[in-house]
Amino acid sequence: MPGAQSRAQWESQRRARIASKSSIEVDISNLNVQINGEEATAEFDQAYKADKYSDNVRKTLRLKKEDGRWKIVTEQAS
């Protein structure tokens, strides 16, 4: 979560951004996943396209397994 936002603030802002779009497309390619016990790293290229905005970024997700489910710990875009 960027900055000093609470989880609730981040979720509210994210919902508003997504709901305002009439169309969103997200494609991923070049996926590489490394698992080390209860932690994993996923790296991929993401192509995002919505209404009047689009971008292509390289993303890295750090995940941790909790209660049998993988959860995102951090997400980085470059």
Side-chain angles (χ1 to χ4, degrees):
M1 289 168 280
Q5 287 182 317
S6 71
R7 173 75 187 202
Q9 290 170 322
W10 179 86
E11 286 178 0
S12 175
Q13 186 180 59
R14 187 74 179 140
R15 274 191 202 97
R17 276 196 307 247
I18 291 171
S20 69
K21 307 294 185 245
S22 63
S23 173
I24 296 176
E25 280 183 49
V26 180
D27 292 311
I28 66 168
S29 59
N30 301 319
L31 175 63
N32 180 28
V33 178
Q34 295 181 0
I35 300 172
N36 185 11
E38 300 293 303
E39 297 182 354
T41 301
E43 296 178 315
F44 55 91
D45 295 324
Q46 175 183 287
Y48 175 93
K49 186 176 184 180
D51 298 343
K52 298 177 184 176
Y53 177 77
S54 66
D55 72 0
N56 293 290
V57 296
R58 181 80 180 157
K59 285 222 173 167
T60 301
L61 303 180
R62 284 189 40 245
L63 303 105
K64 186 169 184 165
K65 201 170 195 178
E66 293 180 2
D67 300 322
R69 298 182 64 176
W70 289 101
K71 297 186 178 183
I72 298 171
V73 177
T74 61
E75 177 178 339
Q76 230 178 349
S78 56

